[in-house]
Amino acid sequence: MTKKVDGLLSCPTPLAHGDIVQLAHGGGGTLTSRLIDRVMVPAFRNPHLDSLGDGAVFTVGESRLAFTTDSFVVKPVFFPGGDIGSLAVHGTVNDLAMCGAEPLHLSAGLIIEEGFPMADLERVVAGMAEACRAVAVTLVTGDTKVVDRGKGDGIYVNTSGVGRVRDGVSVGPGRATVGDAVLVSGPVGDHGIAVMAAREGIDFETELVSDSAPVVAPVAALLDAVPDTHVLRDPTRGGLATALGEVAVSSKVGIRVEEAEIPVRDEVRGACELLGFDPLYVACEGRFLAVVPGERAEAALAAVHSRPGGEGARLIGRVVGEDPGRLVLRTRIGSHRLLERLSGEQLPRIC
């Protein structure tokens, strides 16, 4: 059932067992945050980890570097618009871009189930190689393990990456300030719905295609034009609503977004309505969110529009002083809805 929080409709987070790991703990929402805060942060607490951004930024000599790692377990391995190999590269270079960094080098770890077709493995590796070439990064080291038949679900991929952070750029989830503008680089929800349709064998009249792609070029254009950009986030697990909700909490500000301004493709919206999903919580893998100084909003939008992958960018909201820690949606009919972080996993195994 729903409840009201200060007059806004809200859905409560379901109770969770505390003695076992659940699938929802990997969903990127509230339960993931609880797991990280309870288990990971206390064990490894340090200034680089505490910001809980898309990667760690640190100094080596006179260079500022960013480092990130991610694991990919998407099912099916091949989906419209991509595969687990290219997705792994895109996800890692995009996380580096969210740190304000130019991606330089990657590593890859492959866990392969005995019996996985060699032709499919070659196809996955080819997808990774092509994705690396597209953003001029080199894969410089890696590891391969094979597990018993029935113990690996095909193939899992881990990728880690290092990049060089631009001089004068400092972005992070806790840097949004009142008066900032919020930008999204293109339509949301494509990846999650495309993967779900492929996995479940659902045939829609219009083909749904993942947005899996690097965002390095439009982010570079944005930082050229607005180097004092405050926040960069990619709305992967948990989608746009969860990502912006995390920014609101980290920055201790309110964020207001306009439903009418958030781009969602008609075919994605239709699929979500049919299946009972909210596109604002569906994962993207080729989009990013930017929070920029309000007076630089139009310059930021023009810069993102100028590069492939940013043609569909829109200004969707603003940062306010009211309701700190909350993300509020102004609906098409003028009402207001509180968007809480996803509590669990809306669409499992999408990355």
Side-chain angles (χ1 to χ4, degrees):
M1 62 182 291
T2 60
K3 62 181 180 179
K4 279 195 173 184
V5 180
D6 294 344
L8 300 171
L9 290 178
S10 168
C11 290
T13 301
L15 295 176
H17 299 291
D19 56 349
I20 60 171
V21 175
Q22 304 175 62
L23 187 63
H25 280 109
T30 302
L31 291 184
T32 300
S33 295
R34 290 178 182 173
L35 179 69
I36 292 170
D37 291 342
R38 173 184 170 185
V39 179
M40 303 301 178
V41 172
F44 303 106
R45 185 176 298 279
N46 62 77
H48 300 302
L49 179 64
D50 288 348
S51 65
L52 297 179
D54 289 296
V57 175
F58 50 89
T59 301
V60 178
E62 296 185 1
S63 297
R64 292 173 68 218
L65 300 178
F67 179 76
T68 189
T69 189
D70 207 344
S71 298
F72 297 83
V73 298
V74 65
K75 187 176 181 181
V77 171
F78 305 101
F79 49 85
D83 60 77
I84 195 172
S86 59
L87 176 65
V89 173
H90 294 157
T92 298
V93 299
N94 289 351
D95 280 348
L96 290 172
M98 297 302 96
C99 297
E102 171 197 1
L104 296 175
H105 304 296
L106 302 182
S107 72
L110 276 62
I111 300 176
I112 309 166
E113 181 185 3
E114 179 188 13
F116 189 72
M118 189 64 70
D120 286 351
L121 177 59
E122 292 172 348
R123 185 177 167 191
V124 168
V125 171
M128 294 181 73
E130 177 57 32
C132 286
R133 286 191 291 270
V135 290
V137 298
T138 51
L139 199 155
V140 295
T141 189
D143 181 58
T144 302
K145 294 290 190 296
V146 178
V147 298
D148 294 342
R149 189 185 299 268
K151 301 294 179 64
D153 204 7
I155 185 171
Y156 300 150
V157 178
N158 171 274
T159 43
S160 299
V162 63
R164 183 184 298 109
V165 180
R166 285 177 171 234
D167 291 339
V169 169
S170 181
V171 294
R175 297 197 67 243
T177 62
V178 174
D180 283 351
V182 180
L183 175 153
V184 65
S185 66
V188 300
D190 292 10
H191 176 74
I193 293 298
V195 169
M196 185 278 302
R199 180 169 59 236
E200 303 301 331
I202 301 174
D203 186 18
F204 294 99
E205 292 183 2
T206 303
E207 184 181 14
L208 299 168
V209 178
S210 169
D211 61 10
S212 179
V215 301
V216 175
V219 168
L222 169 64
L223 295 178
D224 283 341
V226 189
D228 55 340
T229 292
H230 292 157
V231 181
L232 292 169
R233 293 305 294 263
D234 53 348
T236 51
R237 293 176 302 170
L240 178 149
T242 297
L244 284 181
E246 290 171 350
V247 173
V249 171
S250 296
S251 297
K252 298 180 176 59
V253 295
I255 298 180
R256 299 284 189 270
V257 291
E258 299 285 336
E259 184 179 29
E261 299 301 325
I262 300 174
V264 181
R265 298 188 198 279
D266 290 341
E267 53 268 38
V268 171
R269 190 184 305 278
C272 286
E273 290 176 354
L274 179 65
L275 298 169
F277 296 130
D278 185 337
L280 301 186
Y281 289 92
V282 176
C284 310
E285 289 290 349
R287 307 286 182 242
F288 69 92
L289 296 158
V291 180
V292 302
E295 67 275 12
R296 303 289 288 146
E298 292 299 332
L301 185 62
V304 176
H305 280 161
S306 71
R307 299 293 180 90
E311 302 93 337
R314 300 275 288 274
L315 293 169
I316 62 170
R318 67 192 191 280
V319 178
V320 299
E322 299 82 20
D323 301 317
R326 292 180 179 174
L327 171 66
V328 176
L329 176 78
R330 184 175 182 271
T331 70
R332 294 176 185 274
I333 62 173
S335 62
H336 292 83
R337 171 188 164 204
L338 179 64
L339 297 178
E340 296 184 298
R341 289 179 292 174
L342 191 65
S343 59
E345 184 97 57
Q346 182 175 225
L347 292 172
R349 302 290 294 277
I350 48 80
C351 65

